[in-house]
Amino acid sequence: MPGTALEHAYTQQDIRLNAALEGEVFSSITAIGRAAWDACFPGEPEAYDYLLTVEKAGIAGFEWAYVVARADGDVVAAMPAFLSQYALETTLDPGGLRDAIAKMRRYWSKFLTFPLACLGSPCTETGSLGFRTDVPDAMRPLLLETLLTAFETFAKSRKCVLNALKDIPQPLAPALAEVVAAHRYAELGGMPTAWMDIDFASMDEYFARLSSGTRKDMRRKLKVRDKVRVEYRSDFGDLLPRIIELYLDTRTRSEWQFEELTPAYFDGILKNMPGRSFCTMYFVGDDLLAANLMVHNGETLVDKFFCMDAEKGRPYNLYYLSWFTNIEYCLAHGLTRYQSGQAYYKNKVRLGSSLTPNAMYFRHTNRFMQKLLQMVAPYLAADDTDGLAE
C-alpha cells in the first residue's frame, strides 16, 4: 500500500480502522515471505534468511511462531516468537538457589517450570518490534495491540501460562509502553547489547582512544599474534565437527544457558546468508583453536558466537585477538558498527563499546502468580554489568 494511502487510513479514527486491522500467527516464516517480512525490518542483519535458518536448525525444546499485523491485507508489523518450557532459574548464577531448584526437580520435574509463549527469539540479539517504514508513529500502538492480542490468543490455545517479550531495546516509546502495560506485562531488566561505532579511520586512531593502561595491556596481549593464523571462511567444510566441539565446550563454561545450537544452525547461517555471513577461524599450526561466527548487513557486523578451546587457546589471547580482527574487518570492508552482543561487558566497555539497555516483559495468566513473580523477578534478572561504574 502506498505510504500516502496508509497515512490517510491511519488518520481515520473510526470503527472502520479497527475492522481493517488483522493479527495472524504462523508456524513458519515461509508463509509470510521474505519481501513482506524484511519490509518490517529494514536493514536488520538477522532478518528473514537468518530466522528461516533458525527455524530449520532443529534446536531442541523450541517451537517457532511468527506474528504479523495486517492493514487492508498488507503485512505492516511483525515479530518472531517461540514456545518453550521455561525454567525460572535460567538466569540465576550457578550454585546456591539454582542448585537447590535443581535438587527439587529430582522429585518434581516441573517445579518452577512454565509453558512459555514469548515474542522475540532466543537466537537474535534483540527482540525489536518490526514496523514497515511507511507506518506513521501514531499508528504503531494500535499495531502493537493487534500483535499482542493475536499472540496471546494463540498462546492461550497452546496452554501457555507465561507470556513474555524478550530483549526489547530501551527506551520503549511511551505510547508503546502503555500498550504493553495495559496487557498486564511487568518489566524486568534484561542484558544490554554492546556495540561500537567504527567512526575512526585506522587501528592507530582506535588505539589512541583507549586508556593508556588498556593500550599497554592490549599490545602485550597481541605480541603472540604472529603465532596465530587467521582465516575467513564462507563454509565450514570438514571443520564443522571441530566447530561444534568448540561451541559445546564454550557453552558448558557459560553461566547462562538457554538454547543449544545445532550443526544445522552453524552450517545453515553460512549457506543461507552468502555475502552476509562468514566464520573467522584461528589456527595454531594445523589446530583450530577458536572460531567466530559473524553476520552483517553491509553496515553493522554482528558477532554471533565466539567459541574457543579454553586450555589451548588462552595462551594466545584469542578473545582479544578476535576483537581486533573484527574491527580490522570493519575498517577493511566499510562497516560502520561492530555489535558484540550480550555478556562480558567489562572488557567490551574497556575496549570502547557502548551499551544499549534491553528489557524483558512478562505476565502470568494467573494474577496471584503474576504478583508472586513480580516479587521475585529482581532476583531472577540476568546481570553481567557488575563493576562497570567503578
Side-chain angles (χ1 to χ4, degrees), residues 33-262:
R34 179 183 289 102
W37 185 270
D38 286 354
C40 294
F41 297 91
E44 171 58 58
E46 298 172 318
Y48 179 92
D49 291 321
Y50 177 83
L51 291 171
L52 181 58
T53 298
V54 171
E55 177 185 317
K56 294 183 175 299
I59 300 173
F62 293 89
E63 179 182 342
W64 311 111
Y66 308 87
V67 191
V68 302
R70 295 184 186 273
D72 291 340
D74 291 335
V75 174
V76 293
M79 282 195 78
F82 64 93
L83 307 183
S84 182
Q85 294 292 321
Y86 182 71
L88 206 61
E89 80 283 4
T90 297
T91 54
L92 288 175
D93 290 332
L97 182 57
R98 189 169 180 171
D99 289 347
I101 293 173
K103 289 180 181 178
M104 283 294 296
R105 289 226 175 87
R106 297 175 186 173
Y107 308 100
W108 183 10
S109 61
K110 295 185 178 180
F111 180 65
L112 291 183
T113 299
F114 301 100
L116 168 70
C118 184
L119 284 164
S121 170
C123 299
T124 59
E125 298 300 298
T126 64
S128 300
L129 306 173
F131 297 104
R132 216 168 68 180
T133 55
D134 54 1
V135 173
D137 290 345
M139 187 56 194
R140 294 186 177 196
L142 186 53
L143 291 177
L144 177 57
E145 170 73 27
T146 302
L147 289 172
L148 285 177
T149 300
F151 185 61
E152 289 162 6
T153 301
F154 169 73
K156 184 177 180 180
S157 73
R158 301 304 302 274
K159 303 188 185 311
C160 293
V161 299
L162 187 63
N163 298 160
L165 293 87
K166 180 181 183 294
D167 290 334
I168 305 299
Q170 301 296 297
L172 189 61
L176 297 179
E178 289 178 8
V179 174
V180 174
H183 280 250
R184 296 195 303 107
Y185 287 88
E187 182 176 341
L188 176 64
M191 297 182 72
T193 299
W195 55 272
M196 181 171 66
D197 282 336
I198 310 299
D199 55 355
F200 41 85
S202 68
M203 292 302 293
D204 286 341
E205 186 178 341
Y206 167 61
F207 264 94
R209 297 185 178 189
L210 305 177
S211 70
S212 59
T214 299
R215 285 198 302 270
K216 181 179 179 180
D217 186 32
M218 292 303 108
R219 288 190 172 113
R220 178 182 59 82
K221 284 181 165 58
L222 294 177
K223 283 183 178 179
V224 295
R225 187 172 192 172
D226 60 354
K227 297 180 181 179
V228 180
R229 185 175 83 257
V230 179
E231 294 185 10
Y232 298 103
R233 299 272 189 107
S234 58
D235 66 84
F236 292 112
D238 59 3
L239 289 172
L240 184 58
R242 175 58 172 161
I243 298 290
I244 299 304
E245 181 184 2
L246 294 173
Y247 163 70
L248 293 175
D249 182 47
T250 303
R251 183 178 184 274
T252 299
R253 300 194 305 271
S254 173
E255 293 180 353
W256 297 291
Q257 299 182 17
F258 195 26
E259 76 283 0
E260 182 174 332
L261 301 175
T262 63

Side-chain angles (χ1 to χ4, degrees), residues 262-279:
T262 63
Y265 169 86
F266 285 90
D267 200 38
I269 293 298
L270 298 191
K271 288 181 176 178
N272 299 333
M273 300 178 66
R276 293 176 292 139
S277 66
F278 62 92
C279 185

Side-chain angles (χ1 to χ4, degrees), residues 246-380:
L246 294 173
Y247 163 70
L248 293 175
D249 182 47
T250 303
R251 183 178 184 274
T252 299
R253 300 194 305 271
S254 173
E255 293 180 353
W256 297 291
Q257 299 182 17
F258 195 26
E259 76 283 0
E260 182 174 332
L261 301 175
T262 63
Y265 169 86
F266 285 90
D267 200 38
I269 293 298
L270 298 191
K271 288 181 176 178
N272 299 333
M273 300 178 66
R276 293 176 292 139
S277 66
F278 62 92
C279 185
T280 312
M281 301 187 185
Y282 298 85
F283 296 84
V284 174
D286 293 328
D287 197 358
L288 176 60
L289 298 186
N292 201 175
L293 183 64
M294 318 291 294
V295 300
H296 67 86
N297 62 356
E299 296 180 359
T300 299
L301 182 67
V302 180
D303 188 336
K304 289 306 300 177
F305 293 101
F306 176 76
C307 315
M308 184 181 77
D309 184 314
E311 182 179 350
K312 294 181 179 179
R314 189 173 293 113
Y316 300 98
N317 301 310
L318 294 182
Y319 172 79
Y320 294 98
L321 174 55
S322 73
W323 180 275
F324 290 101
T325 299
N326 292 339
I327 293 175
E328 289 171 345
Y329 184 94
C330 290
L331 288 170
H333 293 83
L335 303 180
T336 56
R337 176 169 289 202
Y338 172 43
Q339 185 170 305
S340 53
Q342 297 177 329
Y344 310 112
Y345 297 112
K346 197 166 186 177
N347 275 328
K348 293 175 181 179
V349 170
R350 180 188 180 204
L351 292 170
S353 292
S354 299
L355 302 179
T356 296
N358 297 308
M360 311 281 287
Y361 297 89
F362 68 91
R363 73 163 200 178
H364 197 286
T365 54
N366 180 288
R367 290 179 180 269
F368 172 78
M369 285 299 301
Q370 176 73 352
K371 292 286 187 183
L372 183 61
L373 288 176
Q374 286 181 255
M375 291 174 59
V376 303
Y379 303 99
L380 302 173

